[in-house]
Amino acid sequence: MNTTPSASTPSFAPESGALTQDQLKTLVGQAALQYVVRGELVGVGTGSTVNKFIDALATIKDQIKGAVSSSVASTERLLALGIPVFDSNEVERLSVYIDGADEIDGHGNMVKGGGAALTREKIVAAQSDKFVCIADESKLVEVLGQFPLPVEVIPMATARIVRQFAAMGGHAVVRQKNGQPLVTDNGQHIIDVTGLQIRDPLAFEAQVSQWPGVVTVGVFAFQRAQVCLLGTAQGVKTLTF
Ligand code: 5RP
């Protein structure tokens, strides 16, 4: 495994002036089109950066078969733009999966799930040959754990899982929406864990994934990124891992 990221010079450079975070997301969303294999299906993630990618994908929709989506929200956006969406069970392999991240380290390991779609994201990532992460440079970290770690849990196990994270030095809270626990596309809850320094993402993901009641932990080390298109003040930088 190559653990040293290599960075290319920016391929999509801004014309002038500082770019907003929204503009950086648009840039990386458009840059991701170069990884979409024409004539095939593409795996599509979830989130505000992926929304920019979906908008860009619509401009080449006649050149692809369609998409496998990681959330109800992305499916609705894809369909609204006339991009056919296929069930993941209908598809054996995807060449590429394009998704954002809440954090990515210098090895392509990520924390994901800020949009509560981590379970379906991990499923589609697992059936894809290549994970291309699209993010702005605020997401690049030395050690995972700066962003609260999302974990999808079965509600009857929540209190026990919260205690298990406390024993590791973490503080977990149930994510709320409109004063109630947020319910995911899979009918489960999300807990967000702060106070962790995840220095061995593979071991951490393997350990927490085994706890009864954990549906999915938001560390993506087994399904890490091979490429990251990072929006920076100088344009889009390509990191390969
Ligand atoms: C959704 C995710 C997103 O990829 C992550 O939260 C980044 O989102 P955004 O592009 O809006 O910053 O994991 O579950």
Side-chain angles (χ1 to χ4, degrees):
M1 178 171 86
N2 175 15
T3 54
T4 309
S6 63
S8 71
T9 46
S11 49
F12 289 72
E15 283 173 13
S16 66
L19 293 176
T20 64
Q21 196 182 31
D22 193 63
Q23 289 169 320
L24 292 177
K25 290 178 182 188
T26 301
L27 271 187
V28 294
Q30 291 169 345
L33 286 185
Q34 67 192 295
Y35 289 90
V36 175
V37 182
R38 301 325 193 242
E40 293 192 8
L41 292 166
V42 57
V44 175
T46 300
S48 57
T49 316
V50 165
N51 284 345
K52 305 291 191 181
F53 167 65
I54 295 174
D55 294 347
L57 193 62
T59 67
I60 61 156
K61 66 181 175 192
D62 297 338
Q63 299 173 45
I64 59 168
K65 261 198 204 160
V68 174
S69 167
S70 62
S71 64
V72 171
S74 289
T75 297
E76 286 173 352
R77 194 176 187 95
L78 287 158
L79 292 176
L81 290 168
I83 300 169
V85 176
F86 290 72
D87 188 297
S88 64
N89 288 302
E90 295 177 68
V91 181
E92 201 175 319
R93 294 298 301 161
L94 295 164
S95 299
V96 67
Y97 176 66
I98 312 253
D99 199 357
D102 300 306
E103 296 184 326
I104 183 163
D105 71 12
H107 305 274
N109 301 302
M110 294 165 287
V111 163
K112 292 184 44 54
L118 63 166
T119 296
R120 296 187 188 195
E121 291 172 342
K122 210 174 259 194
I123 291 168
V124 186
Q127 69 186 126
S128 303
D129 293 334
K130 180 181 279 187
F131 190 133
V132 176
C133 176
I134 49 177
D136 66 80
E137 64 186 337
S138 68
K139 308 289 183 69
L140 188 62
V141 296
E142 287 271 324
V143 177
L144 299 180
Q146 323 307 308
F147 186 89
L149 171 69
V151 184
E152 184 164 357
V153 298
I154 290 172
M156 73 172 283
T158 301
R160 184 165 190 277
I161 293 167
V162 167
R163 286 195 295 273
Q164 284 180 284
F165 278 117
M168 281 182 161
H171 176 67
V173 294
V174 178
R175 196 181 297 180
Q176 304 288 310
K177 187 176 179 185
N178 302 328
Q180 297 291 323
L182 176 147
V183 178
T184 68
D185 288 350
N186 312 306
Q188 310 302 337
H189 291 173
I190 298 282
I191 58 171
D192 291 301
V193 190
T194 51
L196 300 173
Q197 294 279 301
I198 304 167
R199 297 192 181 277
D200 185 345
L202 263 183
F204 183 93
E205 183 179 4
Q207 180 187 2
V208 175
S209 298
Q210 291 181 44
W211 294 354
V214 167
V215 179
T216 302
V217 58
V219 170
F220 281 52
F222 287 94
Q223 272 77 44
R224 71 188 176 91
Q226 283 73 49
V227 176
C228 178
L229 301 175
L230 201 65
T232 75
Q234 292 76 41
V236 178
K237 276 189 190 159
T238 304
L239 310 180
T240 53
F241 310 100

